[in-house]
């Protein structure tokens, strides 16, 4: 897989993604990194997938809630791709061009593991779609928050929201997702930083900040 950093294309702005299974603490870490960067006078935009655009946030509801088999895996993949293309066109690229640091809760690696490894969609199909419709864009840096899927699922089961479509696929699916992330982080060790998410929130945040500052 070719790693096509946005930074190489525009020489300004950065795309930083956060990945991991359910309940690993991505949003907490994104908030802490955002505060740190703003205090240090960087321009920051936080966003998420699925979603990130007005229309994407509406379609997100159908992807993350409801019955687990609502969509055929390939249809689901195409929806994630379509939303990502919109997200890149309307939010990510314009922000990068303005020199912003874009902190994105999930990006292409989620598709590789949830649709590819988790649901068995051929890797070539995923890579081709990404190339054709999403400009073959990869983040400058990705943080994989590494947490035993059982601990993560126990956490999300305690949360009161209805975004449970993927949670309901069960522990065996989420073990595949977790192993997929481990494999990806080994294969792309320069881009994907594997962070032990069982450390304290502060320890995790300090490590993330250190890595981010090394690329700014
Ligand atoms: P989250 O934003 O609360 O982490 O949840 C979004 C869910 O969507 C999560 O279960 C992972 C799933 N997802 C995919 O399956 N493929 C994707 O490409 C993306 C971005 C998310």
């Amino acid at each position: 897989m070719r790693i096509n950093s946005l930074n190489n294309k525009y020489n300004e702005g950065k795309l930083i993604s956060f990945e991991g299974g359910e309940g690993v603490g991505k949003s907490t870490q994104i908030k802490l990194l955002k505060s740190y960067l703003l205090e240090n006078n960087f321009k920051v935009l936080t966003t998420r997938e699925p979603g990130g655009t007005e229309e994407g946030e509406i379609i997100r509801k159908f992807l993350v809630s409801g019955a687990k088999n609502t969509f055929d895996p390939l249809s689901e993949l195409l929806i994630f791709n379509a939303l990502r293309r919109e997200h890149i066109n309307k939010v990510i690229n314009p922000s990068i061009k303005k020199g912003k640091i874009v902190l994105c809760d999930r990006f292409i690696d989620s598709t590789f593991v949830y649709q590819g490894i988790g649901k068995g969609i051929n890797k070539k199909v995923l890579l081709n779609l990404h190339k054709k419709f999403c400009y073959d864009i990869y983040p400058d840096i990705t943080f994989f928050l590494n947490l035993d899927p059982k601990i993560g699922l126990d956490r999300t089961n305690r949360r009161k929201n209805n975004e449970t479509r993927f949670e309901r696929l069960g522990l065996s699916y989420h073990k595949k997702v977790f192993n997929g992330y481990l494999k990806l982080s080994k294969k792309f060790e320069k881009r994907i930083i594997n962070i032990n998410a069982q450390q304290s929130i502060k320890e995790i945040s300090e490590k993330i900040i250190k890595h981010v500052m090394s690329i700014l």
Side-chain angles (χ1 to χ4, degrees):
M1 184 165 71
R2 190 161 57 96
I3 295 176
N4 205 349
S5 156
L6 271 179
N7 189 40
N8 291 341
K9 284 189 173 165
Y10 301 112
N11 221 1
E12 50 189 305
K14 296 274 183 223
L15 176 60
I16 299 175
S17 66
F18 288 76
E19 295 281 356
E22 313 301 309
V24 296
K26 292 179 280 98
S27 40
T28 305
Q29 290 303 327
I30 290 173
K31 269 189 214 137
L32 291 171
L33 177 60
K34 180 183 182 181
S35 308
Y36 178 88
L37 292 171
L38 288 176
E39 276 163 25
N40 287 279
N41 298 317
F42 289 100
K43 292 183 275 181
V44 183
L45 176 102
T46 57
T47 185
R48 69 173 178 180
E49 292 198 354
T53 62
E54 211 178 303
E55 304 76 19
E57 287 293 325
I58 295 168
I59 298 169
R60 174 185 168 97
K61 294 194 185 99
F62 297 98
L63 283 167
V64 298
S65 58
K68 59 185 181 188
N69 296 326
T70 307
F71 302 106
D72 157 88
L74 277 175
S75 310
E76 180 180 286
L77 169 69
L78 292 173
I79 303 172
F80 276 115
N81 257 269
L83 295 193
R84 183 163 300 128
R85 181 174 167 86
E86 288 294 304
H87 192 204
I88 292 170
N89 287 345
K90 292 183 179 152
V91 176
I92 296 180
N93 270 356
S95 304
I96 299 273
K97 283 183 184 164
K98 285 182 197 144
K100 291 190 185 172
I101 298 169
V102 177
L103 308 183
C104 192
D105 189 338
R106 299 194 180 280
F107 196 65
I108 180 62
D109 300 301
S110 284
T111 308
F112 287 148
V113 297
Y114 281 83
Q115 279 66 51
I117 294 164
K119 297 200 172 176
I121 296 177
N122 184 289
K123 198 168 97 188
K124 271 195 190 149
V125 174
L126 306 181
L127 291 171
N128 283 338
L129 279 178
H130 191 59
K131 200 175 264 179
K132 224 167 173 57
F133 299 114
C134 296
Y135 315 98
D136 215 17
I137 282 171
Y138 290 86
D140 294 284
I141 191 164
T142 295
F143 293 102
F144 160 44
L145 299 185
N146 174 341
L147 184 71
D148 179 340
K150 176 141 189 3
I151 300 175
L153 284 175
D154 285 346
R155 281 186 192 165
T156 54
N157 286 338
R158 272 181 261 123
R159 281 183 200 156
K160 283 195 187 75
N161 75 30
N162 63 355
E163 295 198 342
T164 54
R165 198 173 142 250
F166 282 91
E167 271 93 327
R168 276 192 261 134
L169 289 167
L171 187 58
S172 64
Y173 174 81
H174 288 281
K175 279 186 179 161
K176 279 201 244 172
V177 164
F178 176 74
N179 288 326
Y181 275 125
L182 275 183
K183 219 168 125 187
L184 270 189
S185 66
K186 280 187 193 137
K187 192 163 177 197
F188 303 107
E189 59 180 8
K190 279 212 181 114
R191 175 175 67 85
I192 306 180
I193 312 297
N194 181 335
I195 303 262
N196 172 3
Q198 275 194 292
Q199 301 169 93
S200 72
I201 290 175
K202 187 165 176 277
E203 279 172 311
I204 297 172
S205 173
E206 282 169 0
K207 286 195 175 127
I208 290 176
I209 289 169
K210 202 170 149 211
H211 278 285
V212 170
M213 293 315 285
S214 75
I215 62 155
L216 294 180

